[in-house]
Amino acid sequence: MPRMDARLVFCTCPDAATAQALARLLVERRLAACVNLLPQMQSVYRWQERIEQAEEVQLLIKTTADRLEALTAALLQHHPYELPEILAVSPSAGLPAYLDWIRAQTREDT
């Protein structure tokens, strides 16, 4: 069984256009193998001591552990939020062929 170096990164965006632009950038740069956009999500959170509510788009970004630092840097550079959600989790299992595909799609260009 392949080692579990895949990462699933959650990142919220303020609108569909931002989400699409970020998703495309990450895939084009091989920082992500795939990005799913989940539109019209309602978020409730505390920001600067106020309770806020917003409609956002959730990105589900598939990448690898060795690309996570560069992915994070790209999100910080291009994301409009002052403090973007960048939350990476390690899956405990996955289809080996899919995990291989993630690795293949996120290899740095040589």
Side-chain angles (χ1 to χ4, degrees):
M1 178 150 171
R3 66 187 193 284
M4 287 302 302
D5 61 349
R7 296 294 180 270
L8 177 61
V9 180
F10 295 85
C11 181
T12 50
C13 295
D15 53 55
T18 300
Q20 290 168 357
L22 285 172
R24 190 165 207 52
L25 174 86
L26 296 175
V27 173
E28 284 175 349
R29 292 188 180 180
R30 294 189 168 271
L31 298 172
C34 174
V35 182
N36 302 111
L37 289 70
L38 306 177
Q40 298 178 335
M41 176 184 74
Q42 291 292 316
S43 297
V44 178
Y45 54 95
R46 184 181 303 275
W47 180 248
Q48 298 178 342
E49 298 307 316
R50 293 183 47 188
I51 303 295
E52 302 282 347
Q53 184 165 342
E55 187 173 286
E56 296 181 296
V57 176
Q58 179 73 60
L59 300 181
L60 300 178
I61 305 163
K62 276 73 97 178
T63 192
T64 56
D66 64 338
R67 297 299 277 153
L68 187 56
E69 186 176 334
L71 183 145
T72 299
L75 286 173
L76 287 172
Q77 181 180 1
H78 296 282
H79 202 289
Y81 287 170
E82 180 181 341
L83 180 64
E85 173 192 29
I86 302 173
L87 182 63
V89 296
S90 301
S92 61
L95 180 66
Y98 187 76
L99 298 173
D100 289 343
W101 176 79
I102 291 173
R103 279 190 284 281
Q105 298 310 307
T106 57
R107 277 195 200 104
E108 291 186 65
D109 292 332
T110 54

